[in-house]
Amino acid sequence: PNSKVLLYDCSYGNKDQLWYYNRRHKWLVYGEKRHLCLEAHPASKYVVVNRCRTNFPLMQWDFANVNDTLLDSYFETMP
């Protein structure tokens, strides 16, 4: 619980660096077939990774523009 988010240089094809936007729940999900989501802690100004929870506002992320076509084929295009 409350796992820290570590940032590394990009490594193409490294599945440990993949985040996926779940449009239905508005989650930023870590990795393929995982149930870990990015969670905001606004008061302390940091983010953590926790088990995804439905209807939990601190795990919901809104984006102005979403490329539905790219998201629909996201995992099929990965090496």
Side-chain angles (χ1 to χ4, degrees):
N2 290 327
S3 297
K4 292 181 181 179
V5 176
L6 302 175
L7 300 178
Y8 295 97
D9 290 337
C10 292
S11 175
Y12 184 73
N14 184 349
K15 295 196 179 219
D16 282 338
Q17 294 181 336
L18 298 179
W19 291 85
Y20 175 78
Y21 184 59
N22 179 309
R23 292 163 282 178
R24 180 174 171 229
H25 295 292
K26 299 183 178 182
W27 292 336
L28 282 172
V29 183
Y30 172 65
E32 184 180 9
K33 299 179 184 174
R34 296 192 179 155
H35 302 284
L36 301 172
C37 289
L38 194 66
E39 178 181 333
H41 285 242
S44 50
K45 298 182 180 175
Y46 67 91
V47 294
V48 295
V49 176
N50 277 317
R51 195 146 189 74
C52 301
R53 292 182 278 177
T54 307
N55 298 322
F56 187 65
L58 296 179
M59 286 186 176
Q60 294 178 340
W61 302 85
D62 289 308
F63 294 96
N65 297 300
V66 174
N67 185 330
D68 291 321
T69 303
L70 183 61
L71 281 174
D72 288 341
S73 63
Y74 183 70
F75 291 111
E76 290 84 26
T77 60
M78 299 310 295

